[in-house]
Every structure is written in structure tokens, then in C-alpha cells.
Amino acid sequence: MPPFKSLRRRIVVAYLMFAAAGILFFALIAAVAVEGIEVKLVDERLQEVAAWASPRHAGNLPVEMPAGLSFHHDAEIPLSLRHLPEGATEITVDGVDLHVWSGKDESGPYVVVDHASAYEKIEVVVYGMFAIGFVGFLICSMMFGAYIGNSLVTPIMALASAVQARRRDLPLQDSADELGILARAFSARTSELTEVLDRERFFTGDVSHELRTPLTVITGAAEILMTQAHENPAIHAASERIYRAARDASDSITVLLRLARSPDMLEMTSVSVAELASEEAARCQTLTSSKPLTLRYAGGDDFMIQAPRELLIAAIGNLVRNACLYTMRGEVVVRLAGRSLVVEDSGPGLPAAARARLLNEAIPVSARGSSGTGLGLGLVQRICAYLGADLAYSERAGGGSVFEIRFP
């Protein structure tokens, strides 16, 4: 399962990222505007003063400057203000910030100095106000994102909790927005699935109960025939096959009944996997008597699992029985490895249709309608899914199949 990623958190982060991008954009505009205002208010003012004062100084006319401004020409220029580039310059002299306009006329260089400009203080105040506004905008964006996230996620979580609790009266069904559409779709789909599952469970239960009586009659009749046909080997063999088929069918019905029930309704017992594997290997020995095939239980470290005994017997027995039926010569080996039960054989391998069914893939066109579509494996798959185990398949080195039931 992928790690949980909160939708609420992602909404808040999206709002914060949008706010940060907006803040950056407006900060650039504000910086350009402040610098432009500085050029307009300070630099151009100094340039105008210089254009007025320089001709008057050249004509030996008095140059009376407003308060805070001073005009210096040639030798009158202070040492700290000499050799400045022409144009506007900001410089700090003895801890005082000065705006200086440097220029040159026919009589020599000159400077106009603004000693008392309050623009730097105003600039600090403006940037401070911008910073406070930006921080407030971020906080408001985070709060608004959290509000939107809660408004969206809280109903979704309530709907998810109701679905997990298997409630029939799902919330938000009366809502006129998209959440109401989602809730009504969930409710309709849940009702449909419940009806389908109920029909399947009732069908499986009814059919199974209806089949038990004739199977019991067939089993009893086969036992009587086996008892009375000792002198006729052909009748005895046929009776034994009838008895074994009826018993297998009865076992399959029992498994289907178990699978039709909810897992919490079944009695879980501690079962030894080694014991069941050895018993199923011994019970299937009769399937190898008429061909050059060896069935053996190779052992392994035993382990216990909590599960219905009948379902485990059906899963292990189906794998062993299929291996014995479809393997004509060689061997079938049943063993334990870790917390897994392994059944391997030297047979022809799994047909394409059965392999596709096992891997939940589309059945190839060339394999459709062929025999051996893996119905027994399908039952084993259902049992494994019911018990929370995994059924794995691989090809055996040298030919054959390897089936592995991995228990949690």
C-alpha cells in the first residue's frame, strides 16, 4: 500500500504555494515601484537643483539652497565626496546617509548633496509594511486552505468511515453537491453488491443442501456395492470409484458452504500444516498406482496457522490431486519451506488457459475452449484469498510445475 498522503495537507500546501508565488510577484512589483519613486523624488530633484545652481555659480550669482541641500563646486567639494561617478549616488559619511548628484560644467566638477532626505526612513517603513502584509497574507492563506480542506475532507472521511462500518444509511446522500453524488453512488453500488452477494450465498447454500441428500444416497449405495462385490473385482473397482467421487463431491460442497460464509462466522482452529500435508499425500497415493509415478512427502519445518481445517484440507488436497492426475510419469513432491507449502511435479506444466486464469490475465484465443482450465486451481485461489494466503506458480527446472501456498 502506498504511504498515506493527506488531501487536507495538500490543499493547505497548494494555498501556501499560491500565496508565496503571489507574494513574490507583488514583492518584485513593490521593489521596482519603490526604486522608481526614489529616482523620481530624490534623484530627479537633485538633478533639477544642479541644473539651476550650476549656471548661477558660473555667473557669480548667489546660490541659496533650501534647507537640507548644499551645492559645492570644484575646490569646495569635501574630500569624501570627490571622485564620485557622474549622476546620482548614495553614500554614507560619518554614519549619515547622503544622496549626492555629481556633475561637471565648464568651470569644473560640482556636487549637490541632500543632507536631510527622509526617504530612507520612509523606504524602511514601506518595506516593513509590505513584510507585515505578506506574512499576514501567508497566515490567512494557510487558515483559508485549512478551512477549505476541512470542509472537503471531513465529509469524505465521514463517508469512508460509514462505508468501512458497512452502514446502509450513508451520510451526505441529501447533499446537492458533488459529495452528495458520490454518497448516492456509493449507496447504490453497496446495495447492488449486497444483493449480488446475498443471491450468491443463498444459491450456494441451497444448492449445497440439495446435493447433500443424493450424495449421501450414492455414498451409501457405493459402500454396499463394495461390501457385496468382493468376488467381482470389476464391480468392486467401479463401486470404489463411485464412492471416492461422491466423497470428493461432498467435500467440495462443504468447502463451498464454508466459502459462502463470512470469515468471522467460521471457527478458527490451530492446524499443523505438516500433518495435513502428510495426510493428503497418503490419501492421494491411490492416484499413482496405475502409472510410473511416485508421490512422496519430503517433510520440512512444521508450522501452525489459525484457519478452518476443512478449507486447508481442500486447498492442499486439490493441489496434490491435480499434480497426480496430470503427471503421467516421474514424481510429485510435497514439502514445507519456511511458512509455505510447496507441491511440485514433473508433469507437462500448466496449460495456457489455466496459467492465464491463475495470473488473472486474459485467456489466449488459441487456448479458449480447451480442457484443463484450472477450475480446481480457481477453488484453491479462492481459499487462499479467504485465508489471507498467496498462491504462487513457477515452472520447475527440467519440466513440470511448482505451486506454493505462502501463509502470512
Side-chain angles (χ1 to χ4, degrees), residues 105 134 140 169 189 211 221 264 291 293 300-301 309 336 370:
D105 56 18
F134 292 159
C140 291
D169 54 333
R189 187 61 174 170
L211 289 177
D264 53 6
K291 49 188 174 181
L293 178 65
D301 295 334
R309 184 181 180 88
L336 304 181
S370 62

Side-chain angles (χ1 to χ4, degrees), residues 214-228 239 242-243:
L215 285 176
T216 302
V217 173
I218 294 173
T219 302
E223 289 179 345
I224 295 174
L225 287 176
M226 286 189 297
T227 302
Q228 298 177 352
S239 302
I242 293 173
Y243 175 78

Side-chain angles (χ1 to χ4, degrees), residues 215 218-219 221-223 225-226 232-249 286-287 289-290 325:
L215 285 176
I218 294 173
T219 302
E223 289 179 345
L225 287 176
M226 286 189 297
N232 193 330
I235 296 179
H236 187 275
S239 302
E240 188 175 357
R241 287 197 301 271
I242 293 173
Y243 175 78
R244 187 165 55 247
R247 189 183 60 182
D248 291 342
T286 56
L287 300 176
S289 58
S290 60
L325 290 176

Side-chain angles (χ1 to χ4, degrees), residues 142-153:
M142 183 175 64
M143 296 175 63
F144 187 65
Y147 171 75
I148 295 296
N150 287 330
S151 300
L152 178 63
V153 173

Side-chain angles (χ1 to χ4, degrees), residues 5-20 138 140-157 179:
K5 296 181 180 178
S6 173
L7 181 60
R8 183 187 292 109
R9 182 180 303 170
R10 282 187 282 176
I11 292 175
V12 173
V13 171
Y15 270 91
L16 286 177
M17 292 179 64
F18 174 76
L138 277 176
C140 291
S141 298
M142 183 175 64
M143 296 175 63
F144 187 65
Y147 171 75
I148 295 296
N150 287 330
S151 300
L152 178 63
V153 173
T154 300
I156 293 178
M157 294 303 296
L179 291 176

